[in-house]
Amino acid sequence: MTVIYVDADACPVKEEALRVADRHGLAIVYVSNSWMRLPEGANVQRVVVTDGPDAADDWIAERIVKGDIAVTADIPLAARCLKAGAQVIGPTGKPFTDASIGMALAMRDLSRHLRETGESRGFNASFARQDRSRFLEALELAVQRAKRA
């Protein structure tokens, strides 16, 4: 059975992920580095890891399997989940795929280098209503794909 894993620390679509999980009767696991208020439900599992900044990522990557879905904006975690055979969706609805993850990792490294050298101060676009809508659509499609597989 498909499980939806949510990298919950900075995820703006926790409620939306639960709505989709509820609609399909799927288990959803919220993983975070500290306690936080999270959506409640019969199919919800909360996991709080305290072993460091990548502990939540490690916890997810060690458990996710083919047929599962990860919700994360963390590109290295997305790569690890794809390697395990899972589907991965960013909070803005952008799916990470085997074809796109290499470029995403390269752009992440380039952006970090530019910030470190002072060439860029970094920029993250604000989260918009359209992102929420795209996320819901992308997660619904991922669940449908998982059911067909």
Side-chain angles (χ1 to χ4, degrees):
M1 178 180 218
T2 298
V3 176
I4 299 173
Y5 290 91
V6 178
D7 184 7
D9 285 314
C11 181
V13 290
K14 294 184 268 296
E15 294 278 348
E16 290 79 2
L18 179 58
R19 282 199 330 236
V20 174
D22 280 346
R23 184 169 42 249
H24 294 280
L26 301 177
I28 185 166
V29 182
Y30 293 102
V31 184
S32 63
N33 287 324
S34 61
W35 188 91
M36 64 177 56
R37 184 177 302 274
L38 292 169
E40 300 283 339
N43 57 339
V44 172
Q45 179 184 354
R46 297 167 174 239
V47 176
V48 178
V49 295
T50 57
D51 296 337
D54 290 328
D57 298 353
D58 292 341
W59 194 95
I60 293 169
E62 289 166 5
R63 287 160 181 83
I64 200 162
V65 296
K66 184 176 181 160
D68 289 341
I69 301 167
V71 177
T72 185
D74 185 284
I75 297 169
L77 174 58
R80 293 169 71 185
C81 292
L82 286 170
K83 188 174 181 180
Q87 296 182 75
V88 185
I89 301 168
T92 61
K94 180 180 178 188
F96 291 99
T97 65
D98 290 329
S100 69
I101 196 67
M103 181 61 78
L105 286 165
M107 291 303 295
R108 176 185 175 269
D109 290 342
L110 176 61
S111 294
R112 184 181 64 219
H113 174 74
L114 292 174
R115 283 191 308 275
E116 289 171 354
T117 61
E119 297 288 325
S120 170
R121 285 186 249 144
F123 171 76
N124 288 327
S126 60
F127 191 77
R129 181 180 301 163
Q130 298 88 344
D131 295 324
R132 206 170 295 282
S133 177
R134 277 191 298 272
F135 172 78
L136 282 165
E137 181 181 352
L139 185 56
E140 181 65 33
L141 289 172
V143 168
Q144 294 297 331
R145 277 192 299 275
K147 285 183 169 185
R148 285 192 302 267

